[in-house]
Amino acid sequence: MTVPLTTRVLPADAGAVTEAARVLAAGGLVAFPTETVYGLGADATAGRAVARIYEAKGRPAFNPLIATVIDRPAAQKLAQFNADAARLADAFWPGPLTLVLPKTADCAVAALATAGLDSIAVRVPDHAVARDILAAFGRPVVAPSANRSGHVSPTKAAHVQADLGGRIDLIIDGGATRVGVESTIIACLGDPVLLRPGGLPRAAIERALGRKLADAPAAPDDTAPLAPGMLAAHYAPRTPLRLDAARVEPGEALLAFGATLPAGAERAKSVLNLSARGDLIEAAANLFSHLRALDTAGAGAIAVMPIPHEGLGEAINDRLARAATRR
Ligand code: TXA
Ligand code: MG
């Protein structure tokens, strides 16, 4: 981020909740306590607000985010519950459990927040401040842990200030969080799978399900567990991508960036611009929806103009490189 922001810190009271909802509605970033750890919230339905989360955290890649909602009916607008998911939600929501489920057809969450996947992580937190903010805002809030990428999750407002001060709009200080570790993540896309151990113990989940939980498969080199976001295959278009394209070849579609289009753009099957004014936040917000749209253009390949490597460009280029190699 080029211009540092003034990060306000407010004690968690009714006025702070109103202000948090106002900042979220304006596309801003608000850190707030949940029962597990502090989350960095943005309007889940606004791609640009979601893009700012990645920028503030300094994430080198677009990991999918958890959509935080007020209750089960709100979750069911975003995600499809099978019998296992329904049982777990009944038993443990509100609480430190996140479910990874198939998205609904009309899921309002921005494509960037789910990294273009067809699944979505949803959670109903059990913390009065988080719940008051969700109720006042009235829409889903994406909220990764409120730390810089690679740092540990914050359990106090001061941790958030140390990591993200000057990078976000508002911190709501609700004291130390009760659970102190992140939510347990269970995928219910087929048989339930434990993606991340967390605040809700495995034994409690297995009791509610009436059977054992499968673990996420080990990483290929067997040294580390697979990161949760890696389990679900990364989104990649079916049409091959050609990166750093300086011209558009016959039969290609064009994923553009900036005001000056390359030679041959006029004969492209279809042209979508990530950001005509060269704004990387806007580009990140458009990335997955534009890729999906160009994938249906009937082109032989998608030519992608060079994207600068600074700021969010690093994550955009990371995702484009994966999409280009995975076929
Ligand atoms: O306790 C928590 O869950 C906290 C509080 C703030 O709610 N949030 C949190 O978010 O820990 P985050 O972004 O730090 O971790 C979310 C994890 C990531 O590892 C991500 O890869 C995984 O959830 N995840 C999100 N959506 C996913 C999906 N569709 N498939 C697989 N993994 C997913
Ligand atoms: Mg985290």
Side-chain angles (χ1 to χ4, degrees), residues 80-325:
Q80 302 171 44
F81 286 67
N82 63 14
D84 289 325
R87 206 166 289 138
L88 292 176
D90 283 343
F92 301 115
W93 277 356
L97 170 70
T98 294
L99 295 173
V100 172
L101 305 173
K103 272 189 191 176
T104 55
D106 57 352
C107 178
V109 169
L112 180 62
T114 56
L117 297 171
D118 295 323
S119 61
I120 183 167
V122 286
R123 146 162 152 80
V124 176
D126 183 18
H127 189 291
V129 175
R131 300 187 61 75
D132 287 350
I133 291 172
L134 288 169
F137 182 52
R139 286 203 285 274
V141 170
V142 276
S145 51
N147 50 276
R148 289 292 289 267
S149 179
H151 293 194
V152 295
S153 295
T155 58
K156 291 180 176 170
H159 302 160
V160 181
Q161 173 72 47
D163 256 26
L164 298 175
R167 306 175 72 89
I168 65 177
D169 300 287
L170 181 60
I171 299 172
I172 307 297
D173 186 351
T177 62
R178 176 168 60 80
V179 176
V181 296
E182 300 89 346
S183 60
T184 302
I185 305 182
I186 307 287
C188 293
L189 301 170
D191 276 338
V193 174
L194 178 67
L195 295 188
R196 177 177 76 181
L200 182 67
R202 168 200 284 268
I205 295 167
E206 291 179 339
R207 245 189 333 269
L209 287 173
R211 64 185 198 278
K212 293 278 179 208
L213 264 179
D215 286 308
D221 67 359
D222 229 57
T223 55
L226 206 62
M230 308 300 276
L231 181 78
H234 282 294
Y235 167 72
R238 264 183 282 275
T239 313
L241 295 194
R242 194 167 63 78
L243 303 183
D244 291 320
R247 50 181 295 114
V248 181
E249 304 295 343
E252 286 186 331
L254 174 64
L255 185 63
F257 179 82
T260 314
L261 299 190
E266 65 289 343
R267 64 163 177 242
K269 285 241 173 197
S270 175
V271 179
L272 286 175
N273 203 326
L274 289 171
S275 173
R277 57 197 164 93
D279 173 358
L280 288 165
I281 291 184
E282 182 176 46
N286 286 330
L287 179 63
F288 291 106
S289 49
H290 280 13
L291 279 175
R292 278 188 187 259
L294 291 180
D295 203 14
T296 63
I302 300 170
V304 182
M305 286 176 66
I307 314 288
H309 276 273
E310 79 238 17
L312 278 180
E314 190 185 354
I316 294 172
N317 281 309
D318 166 82
R319 188 41 54 102
L320 286 169
R322 287 170 198 265
T325 52

